[in-house]
Amino acid sequence: MKGTEDLKKSIAAYTPDESDEMSALQKKFAKKYPDALDSVNIFGQNQNEFNRQVTECFDELIEHCRRLEDALAAEITARKRDTAPVPAMKKELDAVRLRSTLNSNQLEKIDSALVRYSERTEDYVLHIAPGARLKDCPKGCREAEIDSLVNMPERLEAVKKASGKEREQKLHDLEKVCMKAVSRELSYFNAYEEIGIDFYGTEKYAEIIYRNLCKNSIYKIEYGDKSGDTGRYFVYCGETAAVPEKAFLKSGMIFITGHNPFEGLDEQYIDDLRFLNDCGIHSYTAMNSEAFHALRNAGFRCVAAATAEELATGRIISAVESGIENAIPAGAEKYSSLTKRLENAGITFARTPDEIVGYILKRRADDEDCTSLCIKSLEKTASAAVIKSYFNTAAISTSDISQNADGQFDMITGFDYISHFNYKDRTALYKKAKSMLKPGGLLLFSGKDPVTGIKIRAVDGWEKYPAYEAMWTSGQLISELEENGFQIRFLIPTGTGLYDTLPSKYKDIPSLYIVGAVPMI
């Protein structure tokens, strides 16, 4: 640094006078101030020491600055080396953009696609991770919650407060209640049955679905041809809707990969498939638009569409597992065999509007039909509650969907009527309801649950129910209404324990859904 060398030269700036001879002035000064010269010497020595220390400090500062300069020079060199390829890369990127005509709109599309892909990935993890669906449970395990059934907190508190024989009695009562609740829950959940899915299909799409299910489903998956076909549910993937005969009357999901799902199938076979679909037993997923519209035009409901990419996603897992949760017990019947059985018994199967009305009136006139009376009472109670709570007034206009009434109404009912028509005819009824409703008006009707509906027919005999009747799970009912332009306002599961002849494990399942919906705006 500038001036540093001069500072070094002046380190010993003070040199004491060591000559033997003193001038007259010095002698006079020394005589008057005998200690002054000693003090000057001490001050000079101290100044020299200070100068030396300052010089050492400057040397250290200079060395540190040199190191900083070297480091800065190395950093500048490194940055120049790293940034040297940037112009060439930019030039190449510009050339690529020019060759591919990749404009800003395309970049935005790519960014949007990446966002959607990220969302699908999150959805995939959410829907198919076994730990997220059944925490710490092995595949096929279902938890039976009994604490709320036996009011466990209150009972435990009562045991804690009691003592002696009273505590023993309360513990005994708790054991009895818990035993009853556990037995009921295990029976209800079919805890001693292995929950499994039989899989059919050999083409490339089938392989994707099968691997996805095996890897991610909480249920055991077996190829139907290799298993004993004992699974509670089946998945079939093929070009047409020709379901394997051994799985025909079982609940399942059918993937259609061909463009004509009914190719090679006769009308009787198609009628059987349509009937099972309308009973909530079979659901369909079409892999192309042609198959989707063919199923819809043929009067099939519970039809979804999927792409090849979706076969390996959580959406498929979610749909299959939702299906097995609502699987129909054994006892389903083909439409063709049912009509033959009714014909042999001399009974006409009610299908037309006049036949359905006649069937309903005859059943309601039968005083011995306690079940019908209970259902009618439930529907009447629901209507009264809706008028009181939903409309908050008794002064509303109402009509039934079966009537050809003029004008528009606040509420249209379709109890024990809408469900007796096939899907094509129901779509026409939904349109009619829209035309009969005032803005904000409500469509109120009921639908049977397929679990209890199929089981009671299997127990009583299908010939005792000689009228067409669609059945829905709550999810299927909501989907059908939304597909036909209605939005659910409320859904009331009811009719629990309505059928005394059903096994105990089915008695806690709602047998009837009362639904209120309004037209979508």
Side-chain angles (χ1 to χ4, degrees):
M1 297 176 66
K2 186 177 180 180
T4 305
E5 296 300 326
D6 294 336
L7 181 63
K8 288 181 179 180
K9 293 177 182 179
S10 60
I11 289 176
Y14 172 79
T15 303
D17 187 4
E18 298 179 351
S19 63
D20 294 333
E21 296 184 2
M22 298 177 62
S23 64
L25 181 61
Q26 287 177 326
K27 290 179 179 179
K28 186 178 179 179
F29 184 85
K31 184 177 180 180
K32 188 176 182 178
Y33 302 99
D35 298 326
L37 292 178
D38 293 337
S39 298
V40 169
N41 288 335
I42 293 171
F43 174 81
Q45 291 172 1
N46 290 340
Q47 182 65 48
N48 290 341
E49 178 63 20
F50 173 78
N51 290 345
R52 185 187 63 77
Q53 292 178 1
V54 168
T55 303
E56 290 178 354
C57 181
F58 268 95
D59 287 339
E60 291 178 4
L61 286 173
I62 290 169
E63 184 62 27
H64 182 67
C65 288
R66 285 173 179 169
R67 289 197 299 269
L68 288 176
E69 288 174 354
D70 293 339
L72 180 60
E75 179 68 19
I76 292 172
T77 302
R79 287 182 178 273
K80 287 181 178 179
R81 184 177 61 250
D82 292 339
T83 56
V86 171
M89 292 174 63
K90 186 176 184 301
K91 184 177 180 180
E92 180 63 24
L93 179 59
D94 291 338
V96 170
R97 284 179 172 172
L98 183 62
R99 290 196 299 269
S100 62
T101 63
L102 192 62
N103 55 35
S104 60
N105 290 335
Q106 289 172 309
L107 287 172
E108 290 177 1
K109 289 180 180 178
I110 291 174
D111 184 63
S112 177
L114 288 173
V115 171
R116 289 196 300 271
Y117 177 80
S118 176
E119 291 174 349
R120 286 205 309 270
T121 303
E122 293 174 0
D123 182 69
Y124 177 83
V125 173
L126 176 65
H127 281 83
I128 72 168
R133 294 194 306 275
L134 289 178
K135 184 180 179 182
D136 300 326
C137 290
K139 285 193 173 187
C141 175
R142 304 176 73 175
E143 296 178 350
E145 175 63 49
I146 66 166
D147 286 1
S148 60
L149 299 176
V150 301
N151 199 5
M152 187 68 75
E154 184 176 319
R155 290 182 179 275
L156 290 176
E157 189 64 26
V159 171
K160 290 178 183 178
K161 291 181 179 179
S163 60
K165 290 185 178 181
E166 183 183 3
R167 172 175 287 186
E168 291 180 7
Q169 183 60 43
K170 289 187 178 297
L171 281 172
H172 180 68
D173 294 341
L174 177 62
E175 290 171 359
K176 287 175 64 177
V177 172
C178 287
M179 181 177 178
K180 184 178 180 181
V182 170
S183 298
R184 187 182 71 80
E185 288 298 292
L186 292 178
S187 174
Y188 174 76
F189 281 130
N190 300 312
Y192 305 111
E193 301 175 11
E194 183 176 22
I195 303 173
I197 299 175
D198 293 325
F199 188 90
Y200 304 90
T202 56
E203 60 177 49
K204 62 177 182 179
Y205 290 132
E207 183 68 18
I208 297 173
I209 300 170
Y210 178 71
R211 290 184 180 277
N212 189 13
L213 288 170
C214 287
K215 181 181 178 181
N216 299 307
S217 176
I218 61 174
Y219 299 109
K220 182 180 180 182
I221 315 294
E222 289 189 4
Y223 256 113
D225 296 334
K226 299 177 183 178
S227 69
D229 299 304
T230 57
R232 189 184 302 174
Y233 195 79
F234 81 89
V235 174
Y236 166 72
C237 181
E239 290 190 358
T240 69
V243 178
E245 185 63 29
K246 48 192 170 184
F248 200 88
L249 297 178
K250 189 185 294 184
S251 288
M253 178 176 288
I254 302 164
F255 290 85
I256 307 294
T257 61
H259 295 274
N260 184 2
F262 308 118
E263 185 176 2
L265 306 182
D266 58 34
E267 285 301 320
Q268 179 178 299
Y269 192 92
I270 297 173
D271 281 342
D272 288 339
L273 290 176
R274 185 164 37 226
F275 179 70
L276 294 173
N277 174 251
D278 217 10
C279 288
I281 297 177
H282 291 174
S283 62
Y284 291 83
T285 299
M287 302 303 300
N288 55 75
S289 59
E290 292 87 351
F292 178 84
H293 291 299
L295 288 164
R296 283 294 196 190
N297 293 335
F300 283 72
R301 51 112 163 168
C302 297
V303 180
T307 62
E309 290 78 10
E310 290 176 314
L311 296 183
T313 66
R315 174 189 167 189
I316 298 301
I317 300 296
S318 178
V320 171
E321 291 185 349
S322 177
I324 196 173
E325 291 294 327
N326 295 286
I328 311 303
E333 188 69 86
K334 292 181 180 180
Y335 179 72
S336 55
S337 59
L338 175 59
T339 52
K340 288 180 181 178
R341 189 185 307 176
L342 291 172
E343 288 175 2
N344 293 334
I347 304 172
T348 302
F349 195 62
R351 287 296 303 268
T352 66
D354 291 339
E355 291 173 343
I356 289 171
V357 170
Y359 166 77
I360 294 171
L361 293 175
K362 181 179 181 302
R363 188 176 58 181
R364 288 181 177 178
D366 188 355
D367 294 336
E368 296 180 0
D369 189 353
C370 180
T371 301
S372 296
L373 292 175
C374 289
I375 292 176
K376 185 178 180 181
S377 178
L378 289 170
E379 294 169 345
K380 182 179 179 181
T381 302
S383 297
V386 168
I387 292 172
K388 180 179 179 181
S389 302
Y390 183 81
F391 292 101
N392 198 26
T393 178
I396 66 168
S397 56
T398 64
S399 182
D400 192 86
I401 192 70
S402 62
Q403 305 299 314
N404 293 318
D406 295 328
Q408 291 186 311
F409 304 88
D410 295 300
M411 186 171 74
I412 300 296
T413 57
F415 294 120
D416 201 17
Y417 186 77
I418 291 178
S419 60
H420 289 296
F421 292 85
N422 61 33
Y423 184 66
K424 267 191 172 181
D425 292 335
R426 291 202 302 277
T427 58
L429 288 175
Y430 294 136
K431 290 180 181 178
K432 179 181 178 182
K434 285 182 182 179
S435 67
M436 295 175 67
L437 285 170
K438 292 180 180 179
L442 189 74
L443 171 63
L444 187 68
F445 70 102
S446 60
K448 297 288 181 62
D449 180 86
V451 174
T452 53
I454 296 293
K455 197 62 183 178
I456 193 62
R457 283 163 172 75
V459 172
D460 294 347
W462 282 78
E463 63 276 4
K464 292 185 179 179
Y465 299 83
Y468 186 93
E469 187 163 19
M471 303 176 205
W472 302 269
T473 63
S474 58
Q476 291 168 351
L477 192 52
I478 293 171
S479 295
E480 179 171 314
L481 284 165
E482 289 180 347
E483 289 167 2
N484 286 276
F486 278 89
Q487 182 180 0
I488 293 284
R489 278 288 179 263
F490 56 83
L491 186 68
I492 307 171
T494 186
T496 303
L498 191 60
Y499 299 102
D500 295 333
T501 55
L502 285 181
S504 58
K505 63 182 179 182
Y506 299 111
K507 290 183 178 179
D508 292 329
I509 301 176
S511 59
L512 189 73
Y513 294 103
I514 297 176
V515 58
V518 296
M520 291 182 181
I521 300 175

